[in-house]
Amino acid sequence: MDPKMDSGYLEPGQSLEDDYDVLRDLLPEEVIGIMDQILCYEMAWHQGYPLSQTVLSSVYIDRLLWPEPRSLQEASFHRHINDNAVANPLVHVTLRAFCIGVVKSCDCVLRKITSEHYYEEEDFSTHTYNRDLFNHFEETQILDILSDAVRHLREQTLVKSSLSQSIVARLELRMEMLRAFSCNHFDAKIFDHARELTNTVQLTSGTGKAVREAFSEKIQRRLASTAPPKPVIEIGIAEAFEKLIHVLDDIREAHRLREVDCLSSPENLRNFLWAFASRRPPPLPFPRACLQSLILIEDDAGSNASAHQLLMGDLKELVLTEDILLEPTNWDVELPSDPRHQIARHINAFVLRASQDYLSLFHSLCQNRCRIRRTLCHVMQAFEYLQIEAEDIDNDLQALMNREPVVDPSLGNQPIYHYPLSSWTYYQKLRQMEWIVQLGFEQDLYLPDELAGMYNFLMSIVADRVNHLRRIGTFIMRNLESVSGKRQSDGIDAVKKSLDHNSALVEEGAGIYYLSIALGTLYSILNALSLIHVPPRPFSTAKLRYELRMRPFLSLSVPETMSHETFEEKSTATLKMPKDLAAELDIADSAVREAKKRFSSLQKRSAKELRVENIGEHWNKRWVSPCLMTCIATGLAVATLQKAQKAHCKSKIVDLTGLLRVHVPDVEHRYHEWWIVPKVTNVE
């Protein structure tokens, strides 16, 4: 028999069942050690490992859950143990209460995660192995048991005071964790107290004594598994406390979503979700599930932020501010032949069609970073189909309204029709394309010699988005003129706020545009000078690699995806003469200066204009400031190349591979994950 393949194989002298006695007396130090070890396994489970290799490896917890107890009184380490409970309350009162609290905490986490969008085996293991995690018992019942154990410890005199206080701290921490994980309501005091108790427990973790035999991988043989037992996942106590602190902090941050003004500005919600997903270290599945559950909830006033309301708010904020198409009186007209009734019917049809795809966008931002990119690819395709339907509805609305087109010289001499619904859909699709490419940089999907082409592709997407925003701004200005003529002060203020937001989006887009030009040009120069090493690739071609990178975008009708020929042309600069190299470096230098100016200006804008009122500090620290540092680092790389060009390439372009060294940093060594700035140094 093979021990790696046969679950029934036993080594000589090895027993099938564990022979640990859960009724034996334990020292206070051993109780502390068991509690801390269970916490380590619980935090390992939060990271995605199965229960069988973590929490359920505890012999004490296994005895609580099997046979399945019909009441909390039956949830004990052994049935009919009244005499033992009196003789050894440290085990049958204190440790039992702690283990029951752990099981109920796992139940709360499991129910929350499975009620939201999650990906089995990728993020989290939900298999309970036919064990009931006390889901039919209320949290208040478990809290009562923990409170009784705390009271018993404080009243007894047999255990040394310092050890008793350490055990009490662990029981109280478990109570606060259960309250925090139940997510029934948010109370900042719970999280403050939990942080204090975590620090207290961490300081006393050294007093515990490990009881390794109280945990066994043999239990897996009884957990509906036909494979041999897998090793129990071991993490250190310091790492466990670090994970616990991060989980508590992330849950608390998720509850700040209640403070976000989502209905009047869904952009606030979108920015909050991006900020949460960008936290370091990345939030674990449970805090992300808590965040998902809060996207559509009742606020303090009792109103429900539905997908319909969010979408209407987004339309109003971006393209239809104080527009007659969203006039509330349109929904009061019941006469079918009335144009206002028909307008309301068309808007309702679009909102009904778009709501699910729109909500999927928010849910996708609550996944792990890799899954965000993959889900956005699907959402982008959904918006591609939505845009086709939006154009048909826009045509019907235009026929009803018969609005005059606008001619904006800055956008060309052709008349421009409003088409608000397709404009909104196209803008959302462009943002999703932009995020997909940028997340590809973060996840190192592109080879170093492909970075020039991908940054140029990003530049083309952002250029379309900025131009589209300017087009939208033209019609918002028309609405401002209309509202000003009616002298509606509230309407004027709303349109001005929308224009300010449009201007902020244009400025941010311009910063990304110029920085993409700078990095794309810089990498194309490095490719042309052979300063980026290209390994042999006998099993692929440039065409196949291009199709692989562009696969999410090839099926889109608009915008037109960069062709393979253009991609190859942009990937390597044409450097025939020294003046060509100098000209390319000047382009990169001027672009990085312009990008720095745009991001510096963006940093001075108000949080209201940027729709980051609840995350202004995080937005500046994790986005704008890193972009500015990226501009500085890119400028230094360009300056190093300019010095080399002036010193060695005055009359002709020479081989610089022996004079310069280029290092492409990994994600941990970048100012921002989306901007890969090569480090160019002189060879000494």
mmCIF file of all heavy atoms in Angstrom, residues 180-181 186 188 190-196 198-199 241-256 272 276 279-284 286-288 290:
data_model
loop_
_atom_site.group_PDB
_atom_site.id
_atom_site.type_symbol
_atom_site.label_atom_id
_atom_site.label_comp_id
_atom_site.label_asym_id
_atom_site.label_seq_id
_atom_site.Cartn_x
_atom_site.Cartn_y
_atom_site.Cartn_z
ATOM 1 N N ALA A 180 -18.309 41.192 16.142
ATOM 2 C CA ALA A 180 -17.844 41.835 14.903
ATOM 3 C C ALA A 180 -18.173 40.988 13.680
ATOM 4 O O ALA A 180 -18.556 41.510 12.625
ATOM 5 C CB ALA A 180 -16.344 42.089 14.978
ATOM 6 N N PHE A 181 -18.036 39.657 13.802
ATOM 7 C CA PHE A 181 -18.253 38.778 12.662
ATOM 8 C C PHE A 181 -19.733 38.583 12.352
ATOM 9 O O PHE A 181 -20.088 38.217 11.229
ATOM 10 C CB PHE A 181 -17.610 37.413 12.908
ATOM 11 C CG PHE A 181 -16.105 37.430 12.888
ATOM 12 C CD1 PHE A 181 -15.384 36.283 13.156
ATOM 13 C CD2 PHE A 181 -15.411 38.600 12.599
ATOM 14 C CE1 PHE A 181 -14.001 36.287 13.130
ATOM 15 C CE2 PHE A 181 -14.021 38.625 12.589
ATOM 16 C CZ PHE A 181 -13.318 37.459 12.849
ATOM 17 N N PHE A 186 -23.274 47.797 13.199
ATOM 18 C CA PHE A 186 -21.909 48.303 13.350
ATOM 19 C C PHE A 186 -21.805 49.156 14.596
ATOM 20 O O PHE A 186 -22.613 50.050 14.828
ATOM 21 C CB PHE A 186 -21.505 49.127 12.127
ATOM 22 C CG PHE A 186 -20.152 49.780 12.297
ATOM 23 C CD1 PHE A 186 -19.003 49.013 12.274
ATOM 24 C CD2 PHE A 186 -20.043 51.148 12.505
ATOM 25 C CE1 PHE A 186 -17.755 49.606 12.442
ATOM 26 C CE2 PHE A 186 -18.804 51.745 12.673
ATOM 27 C CZ PHE A 186 -17.657 50.970 12.632
ATOM 28 N N ALA A 188 -18.499 50.982 16.545
ATOM 29 C CA ALA A 188 -17.050 51.213 16.557
ATOM 30 C C ALA A 188 -16.421 50.751 17.864
ATOM 31 O O ALA A 188 -15.250 50.337 17.890
ATOM 32 C CB ALA A 188 -16.758 52.693 16.322
ATOM 33 N N ILE A 190 -16.987 48.088 19.504
ATOM 34 C CA ILE A 190 -16.644 46.662 19.418
ATOM 35 C C ILE A 190 -15.253 46.482 18.827
ATOM 36 O O ILE A 190 -14.423 45.721 19.356
ATOM 37 C CB ILE A 190 -17.698 45.918 18.566
ATOM 38 C CG1 ILE A 190 -19.051 45.921 19.262
ATOM 39 C CG2 ILE A 190 -17.243 44.489 18.269
ATOM 40 C CD1 ILE A 190 -20.159 45.299 18.441
ATOM 41 N N PHE A 191 -14.971 47.202 17.758
ATOM 42 C CA PHE A 191 -13.681 47.055 17.091
ATOM 43 C C PHE A 191 -12.554 47.684 17.908
ATOM 44 O O PHE A 191 -11.431 47.166 17.925
ATOM 45 C CB PHE A 191 -13.759 47.662 15.690
ATOM 46 C CG PHE A 191 -14.681 46.918 14.774
ATOM 47 C CD1 PHE A 191 -16.033 47.230 14.705
ATOM 48 C CD2 PHE A 191 -14.214 45.879 13.992
ATOM 49 C CE1 PHE A 191 -16.886 46.534 13.875
ATOM 50 C CE2 PHE A 191 -15.060 45.179 13.150
ATOM 51 C CZ PHE A 191 -16.404 45.499 13.099
ATOM 52 N N ASP A 192 -12.837 48.787 18.585
ATOM 53 C CA ASP A 192 -11.827 49.393 19.457
ATOM 54 C C ASP A 192 -11.453 48.439 20.584
ATOM 55 O O ASP A 192 -10.261 48.242 20.885
ATOM 56 C CB ASP A 192 -12.351 50.709 20.044
ATOM 57 C CG ASP A 192 -12.508 51.793 18.996
ATOM 58 O OD1 ASP A 192 -11.829 51.700 17.950
ATOM 59 O OD2 ASP A 192 -13.311 52.722 19.208
ATOM 60 N N HIS A 193 -12.474 47.853 21.212
ATOM 61 C CA HIS A 193 -12.216 46.916 22.305
ATOM 62 C C HIS A 193 -11.504 45.675 21.800
ATOM 63 O O HIS A 193 -10.595 45.141 22.471
ATOM 64 C CB HIS A 193 -13.542 46.542 22.979
ATOM 65 C CG HIS A 193 -13.358 45.838 24.292
ATOM 66 N ND1 HIS A 193 -14.302 44.976 24.812
ATOM 67 C CD2 HIS A 193 -12.330 45.848 25.183
ATOM 68 C CE1 HIS A 193 -13.872 44.507 25.971
ATOM 69 N NE2 HIS A 193 -12.675 45.024 26.227
ATOM 70 N N ALA A 194 -11.887 45.189 20.612
ATOM 71 C CA ALA A 194 -11.235 44.008 20.042
ATOM 72 C C ALA A 194 -9.758 44.268 19.774
ATOM 73 O O ALA A 194 -8.910 43.394 20.028
ATOM 74 C CB ALA A 194 -11.944 43.584 18.757
ATOM 75 N N ARG A 195 -9.421 45.463 19.290
ATOM 76 C CA ARG A 195 -8.012 45.798 19.051
ATOM 77 C C ARG A 195 -7.228 45.836 20.361
ATOM 78 O O ARG A 195 -6.095 45.342 20.439
ATOM 79 C CB ARG A 195 -7.904 47.144 18.334
ATOM 80 C CG ARG A 195 -8.202 47.113 16.850
ATOM 81 C CD ARG A 195 -7.194 46.250 16.097
ATOM 82 N NE ARG A 195 -5.833 46.733 16.249
ATOM 83 C CZ ARG A 195 -5.234 47.572 15.419
ATOM 84 N NH1 ARG A 195 -5.891 48.023 14.360
ATOM 85 N NH2 ARG A 195 -3.993 47.951 15.616
ATOM 86 N N GLU A 196 -7.829 46.421 21.398
ATOM 87 C CA GLU A 196 -7.164 46.471 22.709
ATOM 88 C C GLU A 196 -6.933 45.065 23.256
ATOM 89 O O GLU A 196 -5.841 44.742 23.751
ATOM 90 C CB GLU A 196 -8.011 47.277 23.687
ATOM 91 C CG GLU A 196 -8.129 48.759 23.343
ATOM 92 C CD GLU A 196 -9.085 49.485 24.273
ATOM 93 O OE1 GLU A 196 -9.556 48.841 25.234
ATOM 94 O OE2 GLU A 196 -9.367 50.680 24.044
ATOM 95 N N THR A 198 -6.769 42.302 21.533
ATOM 96 C CA THR A 198 -5.788 41.606 20.693
ATOM 97 C C THR A 198 -4.369 41.927 21.137
ATOM 98 O O THR A 198 -3.510 41.034 21.231
ATOM 99 C CB THR A 198 -5.978 41.995 19.215
ATOM 100 O OG1 THR A 198 -7.305 41.672 18.801
ATOM 101 C CG2 THR A 198 -4.986 41.255 18.331
ATOM 102 N N ASN A 199 -4.117 43.197 21.416
ATOM 103 C CA ASN A 199 -2.791 43.583 21.904
ATOM 104 C C ASN A 199 -2.489 42.933 23.247
ATOM 105 O O ASN A 199 -1.366 42.476 23.495
ATOM 106 C CB ASN A 199 -2.708 45.102 22.019
ATOM 107 C CG ASN A 199 -2.804 45.793 20.676
ATOM 108 O OD1 ASN A 199 -2.423 45.225 19.649
ATOM 109 N ND2 ASN A 199 -3.317 47.013 20.653
ATOM 110 N N PHE A 241 -2.051 36.786 14.856
ATOM 111 C CA PHE A 241 -2.525 38.056 15.415
ATOM 112 C C PHE A 241 -2.489 39.161 14.363
ATOM 113 O O PHE A 241 -3.371 40.020 14.320
ATOM 114 C CB PHE A 241 -1.684 38.447 16.626
ATOM 115 C CG PHE A 241 -2.041 37.697 17.878
ATOM 116 C CD1 PHE A 241 -1.117 36.882 18.508
ATOM 117 C CD2 PHE A 241 -3.312 37.794 18.422
ATOM 118 C CE1 PHE A 241 -1.449 36.180 19.656
ATOM 119 C CE2 PHE A 241 -3.662 37.095 19.569
ATOM 120 C CZ PHE A 241 -2.722 36.283 20.195
ATOM 121 N N GLU A 242 -1.476 39.135 13.516
ATOM 122 C CA GLU A 242 -1.394 40.125 12.436
ATOM 123 C C GLU A 242 -2.586 39.978 11.491
ATOM 124 O O GLU A 242 -3.208 40.987 11.099
ATOM 125 C CB GLU A 242 -0.082 39.947 11.678
ATOM 126 C CG GLU A 242 0.132 40.962 10.574
ATOM 127 C CD GLU A 242 1.428 40.723 9.815
ATOM 128 O OE1 GLU A 242 2.222 39.858 10.235
ATOM 129 O OE2 GLU A 242 1.646 41.403 8.794
ATOM 130 N N LYS A 243 -2.934 38.740 11.128
ATOM 131 C CA LYS A 243 -4.089 38.510 10.256
ATOM 132 C C LYS A 243 -5.381 38.942 10.934
ATOM 133 O O LYS A 243 -6.269 39.531 10.305
ATOM 134 C CB LYS A 243 -4.177 37.035 9.872
ATOM 135 C CG LYS A 243 -3.043 36.539 8.997
ATOM 136 C CD LYS A 243 -3.071 37.202 7.628
ATOM 137 C CE LYS A 243 -1.959 36.665 6.740
ATOM 138 N NZ LYS A 243 -1.901 37.390 5.438
ATOM 139 N N LEU A 244 -5.502 38.652 12.227
ATOM 140 C CA LEU A 244 -6.715 39.025 12.953
ATOM 141 C C LEU A 244 -6.891 40.539 12.973
ATOM 142 O O LEU A 244 -8.002 41.053 12.747
ATOM 143 C CB LEU A 244 -6.653 38.478 14.379
ATOM 144 C CG LEU A 244 -7.792 38.897 15.313
ATOM 145 C CD1 LEU A 244 -9.144 38.486 14.748
ATOM 146 C CD2 LEU A 244 -7.583 38.306 16.708
ATOM 147 N N ILE A 245 -5.805 41.251 13.219
ATOM 148 C CA ILE A 245 -5.877 42.719 13.236
ATOM 149 C C ILE A 245 -6.290 43.242 11.866
ATOM 150 O O ILE A 245 -7.131 44.149 11.755
ATOM 151 C CB ILE A 245 -4.526 43.310 13.676
ATOM 152 C CG1 ILE A 245 -4.289 43.030 15.165
ATOM 153 C CG2 ILE A 245 -4.473 44.811 13.404
ATOM 154 C CD1 ILE A 245 -2.910 43.411 15.643
ATOM 155 N N HIS A 246 -5.746 42.654 10.803
ATOM 156 C CA HIS A 246 -6.101 43.099 9.455
ATOM 157 C C HIS A 246 -7.564 42.808 9.142
ATOM 158 O O HIS A 246 -8.251 43.630 8.524
ATOM 159 C CB HIS A 246 -5.195 42.416 8.428
ATOM 160 C CG HIS A 246 -3.784 42.920 8.460
ATOM 161 N ND1 HIS A 246 -2.704 42.155 8.081
ATOM 162 C CD2 HIS A 246 -3.274 44.109 8.845
ATOM 163 C CE1 HIS A 246 -1.592 42.856 8.222
ATOM 164 N NE2 HIS A 246 -1.906 44.038 8.684
ATOM 165 N N VAL A 247 -8.054 41.640 9.582
ATOM 166 C CA VAL A 247 -9.460 41.304 9.350
ATOM 167 C C VAL A 247 -10.369 42.295 10.057
ATOM 168 O O VAL A 247 -11.334 42.820 9.476
ATOM 169 C CB VAL A 247 -9.750 39.859 9.808
ATOM 170 C CG1 VAL A 247 -11.253 39.607 9.853
ATOM 171 C CG2 VAL A 247 -9.098 38.855 8.872
ATOM 172 N N LEU A 248 -10.077 42.581 11.319
ATOM 173 C CA LEU A 248 -10.898 43.518 12.082
ATOM 174 C C LEU A 248 -10.853 44.917 11.467
ATOM 175 O O LEU A 248 -11.878 45.596 11.339
ATOM 176 C CB LEU A 248 -10.431 43.563 13.533
ATOM 177 C CG LEU A 248 -10.671 42.290 14.359
ATOM 178 C CD1 LEU A 248 -9.978 42.386 15.709
ATOM 179 C CD2 LEU A 248 -12.155 42.029 14.541
ATOM 180 N N ASP A 249 -9.653 45.355 11.076
ATOM 181 C CA ASP A 249 -9.524 46.687 10.463
ATOM 182 C C ASP A 249 -10.263 46.761 9.135
ATOM 183 O O ASP A 249 -10.900 47.779 8.818
ATOM 184 C CB ASP A 249 -8.043 47.032 10.259
ATOM 185 C CG ASP A 249 -7.327 47.332 11.568
ATOM 186 O OD1 ASP A 249 -8.022 47.508 12.592
ATOM 187 O OD2 ASP A 249 -6.085 47.387 11.573
ATOM 188 N N ASP A 250 -10.191 45.692 8.346
ATOM 189 C CA ASP A 250 -10.862 45.700 7.046
ATOM 190 C C ASP A 250 -12.381 45.670 7.199
ATOM 191 O O ASP A 250 -13.105 46.321 6.429
ATOM 192 C CB ASP A 250 -10.396 44.503 6.205
ATOM 193 C CG ASP A 250 -8.970 44.663 5.708
ATOM 194 O OD1 ASP A 250 -8.476 45.807 5.704
ATOM 195 O OD2 ASP A 250 -8.338 43.652 5.355
ATOM 196 N N ILE A 251 -12.884 44.916 8.189
ATOM 197 C CA ILE A 251 -14.335 44.912 8.426
ATOM 198 C C ILE A 251 -14.793 46.302 8.846
ATOM 199 O O ILE A 251 -15.825 46.808 8.381
ATOM 200 C CB ILE A 251 -14.704 43.879 9.505
ATOM 201 C CG1 ILE A 251 -14.376 42.471 9.034
ATOM 202 C CG2 ILE A 251 -16.190 43.975 9.846
ATOM 203 C CD1 ILE A 251 -14.555 41.412 10.097
ATOM 204 N N ARG A 252 -14.012 46.929 9.709
ATOM 205 C CA ARG A 252 -14.364 48.282 10.152
ATOM 206 C C ARG A 252 -14.349 49.250 8.974
ATOM 207 O O ARG A 252 -15.247 50.098 8.839
ATOM 208 C CB ARG A 252 -13.383 48.736 11.230
ATOM 209 C CG ARG A 252 -13.699 50.110 11.796
ATOM 210 C CD ARG A 252 -12.850 50.411 12.994
ATOM 211 N NE ARG A 252 -13.287 51.633 13.655
ATOM 212 C CZ ARG A 252 -12.947 51.977 14.877
ATOM 213 N NH1 ARG A 252 -12.184 51.182 15.597
ATOM 214 N NH2 ARG A 252 -13.385 53.102 15.402
ATOM 215 N N GLU A 253 -13.350 49.123 8.106
ATOM 216 C CA GLU A 253 -13.283 49.991 6.930
ATOM 217 C C GLU A 253 -14.457 49.727 5.995
ATOM 218 O O GLU A 253 -15.018 50.664 5.411
ATOM 219 C CB GLU A 253 -11.965 49.753 6.193
ATOM 220 C CG GLU A 253 -11.763 50.600 4.945
ATOM 221 C CD GLU A 253 -11.641 52.082 5.234
ATOM 222 O OE1 GLU A 253 -11.385 52.459 6.393
ATOM 223 O OE2 GLU A 253 -11.804 52.891 4.284
ATOM 224 N N ALA A 254 -14.852 48.457 5.854
ATOM 225 C CA ALA A 254 -15.987 48.129 4.992
ATOM 226 C C ALA A 254 -17.256 48.814 5.487
ATOM 227 O O ALA A 254 -18.064 49.299 4.685
ATOM 228 C CB ALA A 254 -16.186 46.614 4.938
ATOM 229 N N HIS A 255 -17.430 48.899 6.792
ATOM 230 C CA HIS A 255 -18.635 49.521 7.338
ATOM 231 C C HIS A 255 -18.656 51.031 7.115
ATOM 232 O O HIS A 255 -19.716 51.651 7.246
ATOM 233 C CB HIS A 255 -18.748 49.216 8.833
ATOM 234 C CG HIS A 255 -19.323 47.860 9.119
ATOM 235 N ND1 HIS A 255 -20.668 47.588 8.999
ATOM 236 C CD2 HIS A 255 -18.740 46.696 9.502
ATOM 237 C CE1 HIS A 255 -20.890 46.325 9.312
ATOM 238 N NE2 HIS A 255 -19.731 45.756 9.613
ATOM 239 N N ARG A 256 -17.518 51.614 6.755
ATOM 240 C CA ARG A 256 -17.496 53.041 6.432
ATOM 241 C C ARG A 256 -18.261 53.333 5.146
ATOM 242 O O ARG A 256 -18.563 54.495 4.853
ATOM 243 C CB ARG A 256 -16.058 53.548 6.310
ATOM 244 C CG ARG A 256 -15.319 53.666 7.615
ATOM 245 C CD ARG A 256 -13.960 54.328 7.441
ATOM 246 N NE ARG A 256 -14.100 55.675 6.935
ATOM 247 C CZ ARG A 256 -13.545 56.122 5.814
ATOM 248 N NH1 ARG A 256 -12.819 55.309 5.064
ATOM 249 N NH2 ARG A 256 -13.697 57.352 5.418
ATOM 250 N N PHE A 272 -14.731 54.292 -3.523
ATOM 251 C CA PHE A 272 -14.560 53.633 -2.224
ATOM 252 C C PHE A 272 -14.206 52.165 -2.420
ATOM 253 O O PHE A 272 -13.318 51.628 -1.736
ATOM 254 C CB PHE A 272 -15.838 53.767 -1.395
ATOM 255 C CG PHE A 272 -15.714 53.202 0.003
ATOM 256 C CD1 PHE A 272 -15.344 54.013 1.054
ATOM 257 C CD2 PHE A 272 -15.967 51.862 0.250
ATOM 258 C CE1 PHE A 272 -15.216 53.494 2.334
ATOM 259 C CE2 PHE A 272 -15.846 51.335 1.521
ATOM 260 C CZ PHE A 272 -15.474 52.155 2.570
ATOM 261 N N PHE A 276 -10.837 50.299 -1.207
ATOM 262 C CA PHE A 276 -10.852 49.126 -0.331
ATOM 263 C C PHE A 276 -10.057 47.983 -0.965
ATOM 264 O O PHE A 276 -9.284 47.304 -0.287
ATOM 265 C CB PHE A 276 -12.291 48.695 -0.072
ATOM 266 C CG PHE A 276 -12.423 47.605 0.952
ATOM 267 C CD1 PHE A 276 -12.463 47.907 2.296
ATOM 268 C CD2 PHE A 276 -12.500 46.270 0.561
ATOM 269 C CE1 PHE A 276 -12.576 46.901 3.248
ATOM 270 C CE2 PHE A 276 -12.618 45.259 1.497
ATOM 271 C CZ PHE A 276 -12.653 45.575 2.851
ATOM 272 N N ARG A 279 -6.217 48.222 -0.530
ATOM 273 C CA ARG A 279 -5.597 48.199 0.795
ATOM 274 C C ARG A 279 -4.462 47.178 0.835
ATOM 275 O O ARG A 279 -4.506 46.147 0.170
ATOM 276 C CB ARG A 279 -6.636 47.870 1.873
ATOM 277 C CG ARG A 279 -7.600 49.015 2.139
ATOM 278 C CD ARG A 279 -8.740 48.569 3.029
ATOM 279 N NE ARG A 279 -8.318 48.203 4.369
ATOM 280 C CZ ARG A 279 -8.157 49.057 5.370
ATOM 281 N NH1 ARG A 279 -8.371 50.348 5.164
ATOM 282 N NH2 ARG A 279 -7.784 48.652 6.568
ATOM 283 N N ARG A 280 -3.462 47.492 1.637
ATOM 284 C CA ARG A 280 -2.329 46.590 1.811
ATOM 285 C C ARG A 280 -2.176 46.248 3.277
ATOM 286 O O ARG A 280 -2.117 47.140 4.097
ATOM 287 C CB ARG A 280 -1.038 47.242 1.278
ATOM 288 C CG ARG A 280 -1.027 47.399 -0.222
ATOM 289 C CD ARG A 280 -0.949 46.013 -0.901
ATOM 290 N NE ARG A 280 -0.986 46.105 -2.348
ATOM 291 C CZ ARG A 280 -2.086 46.048 -3.079
ATOM 292 N NH1 ARG A 280 -3.253 45.930 -2.477
ATOM 293 N NH2 ARG A 280 -2.046 46.115 -4.372
ATOM 294 N N PRO A 281 -2.114 44.920 3.589
ATOM 295 C CA PRO A 281 -2.242 43.786 2.677
ATOM 296 C C PRO A 281 -3.664 43.672 2.139
ATOM 297 O O PRO A 281 -4.594 44.237 2.722
ATOM 298 C CB PRO A 281 -1.887 42.582 3.567
ATOM 299 C CG PRO A 281 -2.220 43.021 4.942
ATOM 300 C CD PRO A 281 -1.928 44.487 4.997
ATOM 301 N N PRO A 282 -3.838 42.939 1.028
ATOM 302 C CA PRO A 282 -5.175 42.845 0.415
ATOM 303 C C PRO A 282 -6.196 42.253 1.388
ATOM 304 O O PRO A 282 -5.879 41.338 2.144
ATOM 305 C CB PRO A 282 -4.941 41.905 -0.780
ATOM 306 C CG PRO A 282 -3.479 41.964 -1.055
ATOM 307 C CD PRO A 282 -2.816 42.187 0.260
ATOM 308 N N PRO A 283 -7.413 42.779 1.395
ATOM 309 C CA PRO A 283 -8.450 42.242 2.288
ATOM 310 C C PRO A 283 -8.738 40.771 1.991
ATOM 311 O O PRO A 283 -8.743 40.338 0.839
ATOM 312 C CB PRO A 283 -9.671 43.119 1.977
ATOM 313 C CG PRO A 283 -9.115 44.370 1.402
ATOM 314 C CD PRO A 283 -7.885 43.958 0.648
ATOM 315 N N LEU A 284 -8.991 40.021 3.037
ATOM 316 C CA LEU A 284 -9.330 38.606 2.912
ATOM 317 C C LEU A 284 -10.792 38.449 2.481
ATOM 318 O O LEU A 284 -11.545 39.430 2.473
ATOM 319 C CB LEU A 284 -9.068 37.904 4.239
ATOM 320 C CG LEU A 284 -7.579 37.790 4.624
ATOM 321 C CD1 LEU A 284 -7.438 37.216 6.036
ATOM 322 C CD2 LEU A 284 -6.806 36.937 3.640
ATOM 323 N N PHE A 286 -13.559 37.339 3.855
ATOM 324 C CA PHE A 286 -14.656 37.723 4.732
ATOM 325 C C PHE A 286 -14.901 39.227 4.761
ATOM 326 O O PHE A 286 -16.047 39.679 4.603
ATOM 327 C CB PHE A 286 -14.410 37.186 6.148
ATOM 328 C CG PHE A 286 -15.485 37.566 7.125
ATOM 329 C CD1 PHE A 286 -16.816 37.280 6.866
ATOM 330 C CD2 PHE A 286 -15.172 38.223 8.303
ATOM 331 C CE1 PHE A 286 -17.816 37.627 7.763
ATOM 332 C CE2 PHE A 286 -16.157 38.576 9.205
ATOM 333 C CZ PHE A 286 -17.484 38.279 8.932
ATOM 334 N N PRO A 287 -13.878 40.078 4.942
ATOM 335 C CA PRO A 287 -14.143 41.525 4.860
ATOM 336 C C PRO A 287 -14.704 41.946 3.509
ATOM 337 O O PRO A 287 -15.556 42.844 3.438
ATOM 338 C CB PRO A 287 -12.766 42.154 5.124
ATOM 339 C CG PRO A 287 -12.020 41.135 5.902
ATOM 340 C CD PRO A 287 -12.491 39.815 5.373
ATOM 341 N N ARG A 288 -14.265 41.304 2.418
ATOM 342 C CA ARG A 288 -14.800 41.653 1.102
ATOM 343 C C ARG A 288 -16.270 41.266 0.999
ATOM 344 O O ARG A 288 -17.064 41.970 0.362
ATOM 345 C CB ARG A 288 -13.989 40.972 0.000
ATOM 346 C CG ARG A 288 -12.534 41.419 -0.077
ATOM 347 C CD ARG A 288 -11.956 41.156 -1.463
ATOM 348 N NE ARG A 288 -12.171 39.805 -1.900
ATOM 349 C CZ ARG A 288 -11.331 38.798 -1.715
ATOM 350 N NH1 ARG A 288 -10.200 39.002 -1.066
ATOM 351 N NH2 ARG A 288 -11.600 37.583 -2.165
ATOM 352 N N CYS A 290 -18.340 41.196 3.555
ATOM 353 C CA CYS A 290 -19.043 42.218 4.351
ATOM 354 C C CYS A 290 -19.271 43.470 3.512
ATOM 355 O O CYS A 290 -20.349 44.077 3.565
ATOM 356 C CB CYS A 290 -18.234 42.556 5.603
ATOM 357 S SG CYS A 290 -18.141 41.231 6.822
#
